[in-house]
Amino acid sequence: MLYGITIIFATLFAGEALSRLLQLPIPGAVMGMLLLTLIAILRRGLDRRVVDAAGAMLRYLGVLFIPAGVGLMTLGDEIGRQGWALLATLLISTVITMAGTAWMLQHLLRRKDRLNKNAIQDELP
Amino acid sequence: MNTLWLLWLQLSHIPAFWIALTLLAFGIGDALYVRAGGFPLLNPVLISVLLLISLLLFTHVPYPVYFAGAQPIHMLLGPATVALAIPLYSNLQRVRDYALPLLLALLFGCVLGIVSALACGQLFGLSASSLASIAPKSVTTPIAMALAQHAGGNVSLAAGFVILTGICGAVLAVPIFRLLRIEHEIAQGFALGMAAHGVGTSRAIQLSETAGAFSGLAMGLNGVLTSLLLSVVLGSWWSVFG
């Protein structure tokens, strides 16, 4: 476990450093995620200990958003001024984005699956 | 009364107190959610945030005191994001197989996220600064804050919108999927990550490991693409409606 946690934090540091030094518009943590994926591709797999440590961190991912979420209490005045217009915009836009993306992607995935199936059948004697 | 107050003031500055309370609140939220058979409105993050806000308001503890204590939990968001590389790697073959559909959905979802926010906001008569703060709502907090600042929005408002969007997305995902018959776990995960970033990803992980992997991927890619596209989309929006 210690080894796994060390690797994850080292990758996070590398990601943060890259993002800062190269002034990328990508946050360090996302760079770290991409870096660790790249390492896994190059090594053709990751150490069991890294996988276990990552699993432990992801298991309760939701809890990590709570401290920032409680910060909503400081926005009472800001939201109050434009009130429901802000909340309605947020709600409607989130529903449209999620529904639109999911619907379109499922359509494309199924089309691709059908094409593949046909291609396989064509190859059969 | 005065000594009790002083005692409370001292105790409320012990970080372990707020860490324990945050974990306890999540435990209560999670138990309620499971007990109610996964009823969407009882999302554990939503419940625990509401519980803690009520407690802080009731005890007159300012947010910075709470946040100073609970910060170690917040800091773990960094390594947890890095950890998303593991489900991503184990689904890499499928990412390759579906590269084109995923790219198209990424482009579509990114523009849809920004434009739908601008269109609704304009319709409801939001100010220019509010529009700039709400436009990057679908990407993870650090990116959204930087983008909102650059676009002339309000940074703390932008951060709040991001969290609210994430909670909305996590709560509404399954009802939306059921209504539109979205059964493909890749489509479910990817849409959650696109629309509701990390909070959506924490919901996707509950759905399946594959959904979690594609949600993490979508979250990362959308962050990158939104950084590149937001100023272009906002610029053309102002030139038409400004």
Side-chain angles (χ1 to χ4, degrees):
Chain A
M1 199 69 156
L2 181 66
Y3 177 81
I5 294 173
T6 311
I7 294 294
I8 288 175
F9 271 93
T11 321
L12 174 62
F13 170 71
E16 296 270 13
L18 266 180
S19 161
R20 237 175 251 193
L21 295 179
L22 303 179
Q23 297 188 317
L24 301 174
I26 310 166
V30 173
M31 273 309 283
M33 174 180 91
L34 298 175
L35 266 180
L36 192 58
T37 313
L38 188 70
I39 292 171
I41 294 170
L42 294 177
R43 296 196 43 194
R44 294 169 195 283
L46 277 173
D47 196 297
R48 184 79 235 157
R49 291 169 290 182
V50 179
V51 176
D52 289 346
M57 280 183 184
L58 290 181
R59 194 146 170 235
Y60 298 109
L61 185 57
V63 84
L64 309 185
F65 291 97
I66 297 176
V70 175
L72 287 173
M73 67 186 277
T74 61
L75 289 181
D77 297 339
E78 306 267 5
I79 291 178
R81 251 174 270 145
Q82 297 187 57
W84 293 105
L86 280 172
L87 294 177
T89 302
L90 207 130
L91 193 76
I92 296 172
S93 168
T94 305
V95 170
I96 292 177
T97 310
M98 177 123 48
T101 311
W103 186 82
M104 178 192 172
L105 183 56
Q106 173 161 281
H107 182 75
L108 292 174
L109 292 173
R110 291 208 164 140
R111 220 186 84 154
K112 171 110 185 156
D113 285 340
R114 269 202 306 277
L115 288 176
N116 283 349
K117 214 182 263 171
N118 289 342
I120 291 168
Q121 276 166 358
D122 288 344
E123 279 167 22
L124 291 174
Chain B
M1 182 59 204
N2 221 352
T3 32
L4 256 178
W5 181 244
L6 281 175
L7 185 69
W8 163 245
L9 267 183
Q10 263 188 325
L11 294 182
S12 69
H13 283 84
I14 300 175
F17 178 63
W18 299 112
I19 295 176
L21 267 183
T22 304
L23 298 177
L24 177 70
F26 189 76
I28 294 173
D30 203 41
L32 273 173
Y33 178 73
V34 171
R35 187 73 58 89
F39 181 65
L41 266 181
L42 289 177
N43 178 281
V45 179
L46 176 64
I47 297 290
S48 26
V49 165
L50 290 179
L51 278 175
L52 286 165
I53 288 182
S54 324
L55 179 81
L56 294 182
L57 290 178
F58 186 71
T59 54
H60 298 286
V61 173
Y63 176 65
V65 173
Y66 163 78
F67 190 77
Q71 201 159 22
I73 296 180
H74 179 74
M75 298 295 282
L76 284 175
L77 273 173
T81 307
V82 174
L84 287 168
I86 277 78
L88 182 57
Y89 176 71
S90 52
N91 281 283
L92 205 63
Q93 188 55 46
R94 288 211 263 181
V95 175
R96 280 196 197 125
D97 290 346
Y98 293 121
L100 188 62
L102 292 174
L103 267 177
L104 289 174
L106 170 69
L107 200 63
F108 178 68
C110 174
V111 175
L112 191 62
I114 302 170
V115 170
S116 63
L118 290 176
C120 283
Q122 190 94 31
L123 196 69
F124 294 135
L126 294 185
S127 67
S129 146
S130 295
L131 281 180
S133 318
I134 213 166
K137 68 178 176 17
S138 285
V139 298
T140 175
T141 331
I143 305 188
M145 286 165 76
L147 291 176
Q149 184 159 39
H150 186 74
N154 175 331
V155 175
S156 65
L157 202 56
F161 288 152
V162 171
I163 291 288
L164 264 181
T165 301
I167 293 176
C168 269
V171 167
L172 294 172
V174 170
I176 292 176
F177 296 156
R178 223 170 261 164
L179 198 72
L180 293 177
R181 304 223 174 100
I182 309 292
E183 287 130 11
H184 208 302
E185 50 181 0
I186 294 181
Q188 294 182 340
F190 203 81
L192 264 162
M194 282 300 295
H197 55 90
V199 187
T201 302
S202 74
R203 181 77 188 91
I205 289 175
Q206 293 177 325
L207 295 178
S208 74
E209 208 219 77
T210 304
F214 281 85
S215 187
L217 177 70
M219 173 186 98
L221 293 177
N222 193 22
V224 177
L225 192 62
T226 302
S227 317
L228 299 175
L229 287 185
L230 188 74
S231 59
V232 181
V233 177
L234 265 177
S236 16
W237 188 269
W238 297 141
S239 67
V240 178
F241 296 98

